[in-house]
Amino acid sequence: MKAGYFHRVAAQTPTRFWINNVTRKEAAMAIEAGAVGCTQNPSYVWKMLNHPDECEHALAVLDRHIAQTVSDDEALIRTQRELVSEVAKVFLPLYEASGRQAGFVSIQGNPFEESYEKIVEQGLFNREGGDNIMVKVPVIEAGLKAIRTLLDNGAPINATEVFAVRQAMDVAELYREYASASKTAPAVYFSHITGIYDEYLTRQAARENIDISPDALWQAGIIIAKKVYHMTKCACPAVGFIGGGARGLQHFTEMVGANACITINWKGTADKLLETDPPVVDRFRAPVSEAVLDELLTKMNDFRRGYMLDGITPPEYEGFGPVELFRDSFTDAWQKARALAGERRAKL
């Protein structure tokens, strides 16, 4: 019998399949299909509150935490950890069988509270949700500082919201320095949010009437991902690469061949790849067209800022356009969940 697509990818390349924002049922299906890790983000509670398979359970968990807290944000933080911990249990056998090399499930804190102190506080709180919980930290100035403290406390890290080469190199250099002084450094990955970058640049081109080929925009995120990948592998081979923010099947298929983990949603991406069952082709090592690269660098300033090593500085990370677009989806979902929590608290 022919093996499924993700199993064939794993057998023929170093690329690994991770799943994003899943229910417990989807987590089990993803593992059966070949998933070896999982990412969840701050929109997770709102998604579960609106998911037909999980809404009743998620509401019960939320109501219990509302009754035990005085803050709606605190209720959401506790609800998120409990719901994500349940998914982490599904991945725990894989984590244990792999010698703690696979089966991680990452969780990020309240997107409205991203000071150094809050990232550390919530990261340590979330870490208590299970042995295979990986703390997800945004790569902003406060986040980079928090990563060091969380590593000191033994927390594996998913450094997220990475769009620019400089952000990824900051993580690689931080981990190289930390690991050289520690014999037991926890695992560190960074997530390059490829698909969201494409979405941001496409919107910007339309908004500003920039005359640029849609074919160039289609490749933009992947082109930066390739540079990020090769530079970080040279700087610190031990830091893991996660490709995220998929907005199309290409954000998985174009990454096949990389020694990386690519995280995608179950519905609309993973299920479609299983259904269409494309051939496994190493596309990641295909050369970048100089003409396409020149067009992007010339016409799209925010591509240039992300692509050039010194195109952006740490104080600018939080306000970088693609970062803001990505975070807006988190803050919007968190606000909606918080409003619902407030309504239910008022009825207690």
Side-chain angles (χ1 to χ4, degrees):
M1 181 181 294
K2 182 181 178 182
Y5 175 68
F6 297 112
H7 287 292
R8 299 201 320 278
V9 168
Q12 298 176 41
T13 79
T15 309
R16 297 295 177 260
F17 162 43
W18 279 34
I19 199 69
N20 179 62
N21 269 11
V22 284
T23 66
R24 292 167 292 176
K25 179 180 178 181
E26 289 169 342
M29 294 192 309
I31 290 171
E32 184 177 357
V36 296
C38 177
T39 54
Q40 314 282 45
N41 61 46
S43 62
Y44 186 69
V45 172
W46 182 242
K47 181 175 181 178
M48 293 303 101
L49 288 168
N50 289 276
H51 196 288
D53 293 341
E54 291 284 354
C55 59
E56 185 175 343
H57 173 63
L59 278 171
V61 174
L62 177 61
D63 285 345
R64 175 157 38 81
H65 289 299
I66 288 172
Q68 296 171 354
T69 60
V70 296
S71 160
D72 294 333
D73 277 327
E74 183 63 24
L76 288 181
I77 290 167
R78 294 187 182 192
T79 298
Q80 180 181 235
R81 188 183 75 173
E82 182 168 339
L83 294 177
V84 174
S85 294
E86 292 172 347
V87 173
K89 290 177 183 177
V90 180
F91 277 87
L92 187 59
L94 178 60
Y95 176 76
E96 294 173 340
S98 68
R100 301 184 176 186
Q101 300 302 304
F104 288 110
V105 176
S106 64
I107 177 172
Q108 188 173 346
N110 181 346
F112 289 100
E113 296 181 340
E114 293 188 336
S115 66
Y116 160 75
E117 293 79 9
K118 285 295 184 180
I119 292 173
V120 171
E121 175 189 322
Q122 292 180 32
L124 294 177
F125 175 79
N126 287 330
R127 177 74 179 125
E128 295 173 0
D131 288 346
N132 56 331
I133 289 289
M134 176 175 273
V135 178
K136 203 171 185 183
V137 179
V139 180
I140 56 179
E141 274 196 297
L144 289 166
K145 181 180 177 183
I147 287 172
R148 294 178 183 273
T149 302
L150 290 163
L151 287 172
D152 283 337
N153 283 273
I157 299 294
N158 176 356
T160 189
E161 300 179 20
V162 172
F163 291 88
V165 171
R166 181 71 265 167
Q167 287 177 287
M169 287 297 289
D170 281 350
V171 176
E173 290 165 1
L174 183 159
Y175 192 53
R176 179 180 61 191
E177 177 185 326
Y178 187 90
S180 67
S182 172
K183 296 181 180 180
T184 58
V188 169
Y189 290 73
F190 67 84
S191 289
H192 183 264
I193 314 300
T194 312
I196 299 293
Y197 212 145
D198 290 347
E199 180 181 340
Y200 171 80
L201 292 173
T202 299
R203 289 187 186 186
Q204 184 182 49
R207 183 176 63 249
E208 300 178 12
N209 294 315
I210 298 171
D211 182 17
I212 185 169
S213 165
D215 298 323
L217 291 172
W218 189 89
Q219 300 173 67
I222 296 294
I223 289 172
I224 292 183
K226 289 182 177 183
K227 184 173 182 179
V228 163
Y229 177 85
H230 291 298
M231 290 193 70
T232 55
K233 290 299 181 187
C234 290
C236 184
V239 71
F241 183 111
I242 299 174
R247 287 299 180 266
L249 302 186
Q250 76 273 16
H251 293 123
F252 189 96
T253 58
E254 293 295 312
M255 295 293 292
V256 170
N259 183 3
C261 307
I262 313 302
T263 183
I264 54 179
N265 290 341
W266 178 259
K267 188 173 182 180
T269 308
D271 61 349
K272 292 298 181 185
L273 286 169
L274 290 168
E275 178 186 341
T276 57
D277 196 24
V280 175
V281 179
D282 182 343
R283 300 185 186 278
F284 189 73
R285 285 180 284 188
V288 173
S289 163
E290 293 295 333
V292 170
L293 179 58
D294 185 67
E295 183 174 15
L296 287 164
L297 287 170
T298 301
K299 296 181 177 180
M300 304 301 299
N301 182 56
D302 279 343
F303 174 86
R304 185 166 60 252
R305 293 179 72 199
Y307 185 82
M308 303 304 291
L309 179 59
D310 296 319
I312 189 170
T313 62
E316 298 174 298
Y317 292 165
E318 194 167 0
F320 190 34
V323 174
E324 290 186 321
L325 175 63
F326 194 40
R327 291 180 73 252
D328 283 349
S329 66
F330 299 161
T331 55
D332 179 63
W334 194 274
Q335 282 180 314
K336 290 175 179 176
R338 184 166 56 193
L340 178 62
E343 291 171 7
R344 298 182 75 83
R345 184 183 297 276
K347 296 177 182 178
L348 288 178

